[in-house]
Amino acid sequence: CLKENGAGRRTDPADLPKEYLLHAALSNDDTPPLVVQMLLSFYPKSIYLPDLAAGALPIHLAAMARDYVPRNYEAQSFSFHRMRERSLDIVLEADPSAIYKRLEGRLPLHLAVASGRMMDSIRVLLKSGAKSIRENGIEKLDFVQLSQRDPETGLYPFQLSAAYPDKSSDEG
């Protein structure tokens, strides 16, 4: 089916982009977090858009991706603090409610653990999803996500972490 564009020409839908820039950046482990930050500043609503192919939101892509490893020359060009930030942190800051959005029934925490993310990335997801409760005058954090079984495996997050080895390091 051909669509007519504003110039009177017909455009084949196959020629249209297949993914959003933010999603493409998050799908590539070699994209610096500063690029993710820049794309979000240019296209802030892209944080709410699902991937055209798989239906994944940016939080799902960031949860499954490896952390970016900066090169030596990049550390000289940018502030050290910004280089230490992960794309996952940037995505969560842009949409904190994304922590509860599911992809095929799986929470971002399930995806991160099954993808072999490092504990500090998983800790970020846990803290973002923690609910503050008061019990007997004491404020506690309730990590709701820990009680959610992964629908694909039927395992709790702590069981998933034991079942899936760390894949965050470069294995080649």
Side-chain angles (χ1 to χ4, degrees), residues 12-31:
D12 186 351
D15 295 335
L16 297 174
K18 303 291 184 273
E19 60 187 350
Y20 301 110
L21 290 174
L22 176 63
H23 298 68
L26 290 169
S27 297
N28 183 347
D29 296 336
D30 203 34
T31 302

Side-chain angles (χ1 to χ4, degrees), residues 29 66 167-172:
D29 296 336
R66 289 182 180 179
K167 299 176 196 159
S168 294
S169 61
D170 281 332
E171 297 172 353

Side-chain angles (χ1 to χ4, degrees), residues 131-142:
K131 301 221 185 249
S132 181
I133 57 172
R134 251 185 143 43
E135 191 175 281
N136 299 329
I138 300 171
E139 191 164 331
K140 297 179 180 180
L141 291 178
D142 181 16

Side-chain angles (χ1 to χ4, degrees), residues 2 18-19 27 33 38 44 52 58 63-64 66 81 116 125 134 136 151 153 156 158 170 172:
L2 298 177
K18 303 291 184 273
E19 60 187 350
S27 297
M38 180 186 67
L52 298 173
M64 292 186 286
R66 289 182 180 179
H81 170 71
L125 288 167
R134 251 185 143 43
N136 299 329
T153 62
Y156 289 106
F158 76 91
D170 281 332

